[in-house]
Amino acid sequence: MAHDTTGDCIVVVQFGYYPNRNIIDANVCVALEGKTQYVVRASRELRPRIDEVSVGPFAWDVVDPMRAVRTTLGENAYGVSYDIVFDATMPAHDEEPPSSSAIAAG
């Protein structure tokens, strides 16, 4: 997910990986000024390209392991495209599991 500092543009990118169903899919939702929303979706069979994270015009690449990833949406029938690099703001680390009281309070 990414957004500008005013909240006028919000981009949510998702990739789904379902090895037991032999499917990989991707979608993006772009919301502009709280008035207009664009959604692009794509899906394909996972095998035989099981380690290729691309679906139609969508792609996901590791730029620098544990530090930066790049996601792109190329040309498509909907006229929505992007090229975004997400850079880490802190080193990768293990998270503590939630305590049982935090789960119960949910």
Side-chain angles (χ1 to χ4, degrees), residues 61-74:
D61 298 297
V62 176
V63 176
D64 187 5
M66 307 298 281
R67 292 191 180 103
V69 293
R70 176 182 184 206
T71 181
T72 56
L73 175 59

Side-chain angles (χ1 to χ4, degrees), residues 65-99:
M66 307 298 281
R67 292 191 180 103
V69 293
R70 176 182 184 206
T71 181
T72 56
L73 175 59
E75 290 187 28
N76 58 76
Y78 304 99
V80 177
S81 62
Y82 57 78
D83 186 336
I84 302 171
V85 175
F86 291 99
D87 292 308
T89 57
M90 68 179 82
H93 62 280
D94 289 333
E95 291 186 16
E96 293 296 322
S99 65

Side-chain angles (χ1 to χ4, degrees), residues 9-12 28-32 36-40 73 80 82:
C9 180
I10 300 171
V11 179
V12 180
V28 65
C29 175
V30 179
L32 300 174
T36 307
Q37 178 176 309
Y38 299 93
V39 176
V40 180
L73 175 59
V80 177
Y82 57 78

